[in-house]
Amino acid sequence: MAFGEPRDPKSTRRLLALDGGGIRGMITLEFLAEIENLLRQKLGRGPDFVLADYFDYVAGTSTGAIIAACISLGMSTASILEFYEANGQAMFEKSSILKRLRYKYEDDKLAAKLRDVIRAQAGTRAGAADPTLGSEALRTGLMMVMRNATTDSPWLLSNNPAAKYNDRNRADCNLNLPLWQLIRASTAAPVYFPPEVVHIGKHEFVFVDGGLTTYNNPAFILFLMATLEQYRVGWVAGEDRMLLVSVGTGTNPAANENLDPSEMNLLYNAASLPSALMYAALNEQDMLCRAFGRCRAGAALDREIGTLAEGAGPLAALYGELPEKRLFSYMRYNCELSRAGLDALGLPHVEPRNVQRLDSIEYIPQLREVGRSAAKGTVRASHFDGFV
């Protein structure tokens, strides 16, 4: 299906945005498995139905970029889960003692595994070039978030053929970049992995994890990329015409509940500020989506504003009546990894610290258990009414 081609006569559009979060992407995948299963039932489709058959545009940051690319290539959630479980250890292979002053894990095996799965899914023959961002093997629109450390700016790369920097006549056309390398760039979390150097035309850029931008949750920026004239996609907004599904990797609002002010030294701030900014940014994206979209599902943002599913939004004055029209329909699926959050999921045996780290590869079964429990408790087939 061409990028700009409508998926059905009504021209409804379905967007999927996936947060970053390291190996906690297992939680995301359990949500996606539940969504895939419910859509199969709702559409009367068999096991050959995958999320690429439903979503038109998929975006991801960091681990979300890996999952988004796999979905766009037509992989089932079961296959992506199998990939994560089989390669989790390789993804987080400890670096040498000397290198650990700069980063904890090597990237060679992660890069090799990404190349292998992309080549296999794209059907690339031996000796052929690696599939690129412009590969016809991608069945949906794909957007990935990374941070260009050279230019100190977020980079949002998509396979939209009409995008300014995707012109095949340009020497620096983004569509010619290897897909595996862009995924690797989006996952290059400082401290955890070395940066990724990418050659684009005559330029050499150093990229790090997209989670270090304001788009660790890429939901609202995905909506903007699908609708703003400057991005050259041009899809029409409207709560009956566009569905945006956003999936997280778990949160931990009680991370510092026993914090002593005397502990907030230089090292503490250096270690904690990135995660604090990432958490604030993903909440901002979520809040913007709920304010301008019609929220069909999502936990309370905080005790003051709740879920924003009810009440007037910022567009109310334009319409003079309630409920006022919104720009899209929206669902946010996530879970809380605190002690209280896990207890609410019926998982008192799961230790919060075991599932909160980005590199908890030894607790993959527990991460999956958390994801399954959260998905069963929140994802409903009715959320997708009007978009099947």
Side-chain angles (χ1 to χ4, degrees):
M1 185 189 74
F3 188 100
E5 209 175 288
R7 195 175 285 277
D8 58 49
K10 296 180 181 178
S11 297
T12 56
R13 299 293 184 179
R14 297 99 174 224
L15 283 58
L16 176 64
L18 309 174
D19 290 13
I23 200 62
R24 295 203 324 248
M26 300 296 292
I27 294 174
T28 300
L29 283 165
E30 290 293 348
F31 275 110
L32 294 176
E34 184 68 12
I35 291 171
E36 188 178 68
N37 182 55
L38 288 177
L39 286 174
R40 284 172 178 168
Q41 296 176 31
K42 198 171 180 69
L43 294 165
R45 300 288 295 273
D48 61 331
F49 173 89
V50 294
L51 294 177
D53 295 321
Y54 182 80
F55 288 102
D56 300 289
Y57 206 168
V58 185
T61 302
S62 194
T63 197
I66 298 176
I67 299 170
C70 289
I71 288 172
S72 188
L73 286 165
M75 292 177 66
S76 66
T77 54
S79 296
I80 307 172
L81 278 164
E82 183 179 343
F83 169 73
Y84 264 70
E85 284 202 311
N87 299 292
Q89 196 73 38
M91 289 181 185
F92 292 90
E93 182 183 34
K94 289 191 178 295
S95 60
S96 65
I97 296 296
L98 291 178
K99 289 181 179 178
R100 285 182 208 173
L101 294 173
R102 293 187 295 139
Y103 49 85
K104 293 173 64 176
Y105 303 107
E106 297 287 358
D107 67 323
D108 294 344
K109 287 191 176 180
L110 172 58
K113 296 297 183 183
L114 287 172
R115 294 180 79 170
D116 287 346
V117 73
I118 291 170
R119 290 175 66 86
Q121 194 63 28
T124 305
R125 65 183 183 278
D130 285 302
T132 64
L133 181 61
S135 171
E136 293 183 0
L138 294 170
R139 294 170 51 182
T140 72
L142 173 65
M143 188 270 280
M144 294 175 290
V145 180
M146 56 207 73
R147 177 176 176 268
N148 188 328
T150 303
T151 62
D152 192 24
S153 59
W155 274 37
L156 314 169
L157 299 188
S158 84
N159 63 336
N160 170 22
K164 179 177 181 178
Y165 293 99
N166 286 355
D167 185 343
R168 293 287 191 179
N169 294 316
R170 297 180 63 105
D172 58 351
C173 175
N174 290 330
L175 294 180
N176 296 329
L177 298 173
L179 184 57
W180 73 265
Q181 191 174 35
L182 296 180
I183 299 171
R184 166 70 189 90
S186 183
T187 61
V191 180
Y192 289 92
F193 296 106
E196 183 71 18
V197 178
V198 181
H199 296 272
I200 306 177
K202 297 180 180 179
H203 303 284
E204 179 181 281
F205 296 112
V206 178
F207 287 96
V208 295
D209 198 312
L212 295 182
T213 71
T214 53
Y215 309 122
N216 191 52
N217 170 357
F220 196 69
I221 190 63
L222 175 61
F223 162 72
L224 294 178
M225 290 188 74
T227 55
L228 283 180
E229 177 184 1
Q230 289 79 359
Y231 286 115
R232 304 178 183 179
V233 175
W235 292 348
V236 179
E239 64 182 273
D240 59 341
R241 303 193 67 172
M242 182 170 287
L243 176 68
L244 173 56
V245 180
S246 174
V247 187
T249 60
T251 63
N252 183 27
N256 299 309
E257 60 184 353
N258 297 316
L259 180 64
D260 188 313
S262 64
E263 298 173 1
M264 300 181 69
N265 52 36
L266 185 62
L267 290 176
Y268 171 86
N269 287 320
S272 63
L273 281 177
S275 62
L277 293 173
M278 288 166 64
Y279 181 66
L282 72 86
N283 276 316
E284 180 190 38
Q285 289 275 307
D286 188 13
M287 185 174 181
L288 287 170
C289 287
R290 297 180 195 226
F292 290 97
R294 177 75 60 196
C295 184
R296 296 185 173 195
L301 287 167
D302 59 43
R303 295 177 182 175
E304 182 173 11
I305 62 176
T307 66
L308 291 184
E310 304 294 336
L315 300 177
L318 295 176
Y319 300 100
E321 60 182 22
L322 291 177
E324 84 280 15
K325 296 177 182 177
R326 299 290 177 101
L327 298 177
F328 51 90
S329 291
Y330 175 69
M331 285 97 82
R332 172 66 173 174
Y333 299 123
N334 207 0
C335 58
E336 187 178 310
L337 303 178
S338 65
R339 178 71 276 156
L342 293 171
D343 287 346
L345 292 175
L347 303 173
H349 58 285
V350 176
E351 284 295 324
R353 64 178 178 272
N354 293 345
V355 293
Q356 290 170 354
R357 300 195 332 266
L358 303 183
D359 56 351
S360 294
I361 52 175
E362 64 271 40
Y363 296 105
I364 284 178
Q366 291 190 10
L367 287 167
R368 292 197 61 178
E369 188 178 6
V370 170
R372 281 194 299 270
S373 180
K376 290 292 184 183
T378 55
V379 181
R380 297 287 180 269
S382 59
H383 296 166
F384 296 85
D385 286 351
F387 292 91
V388 291

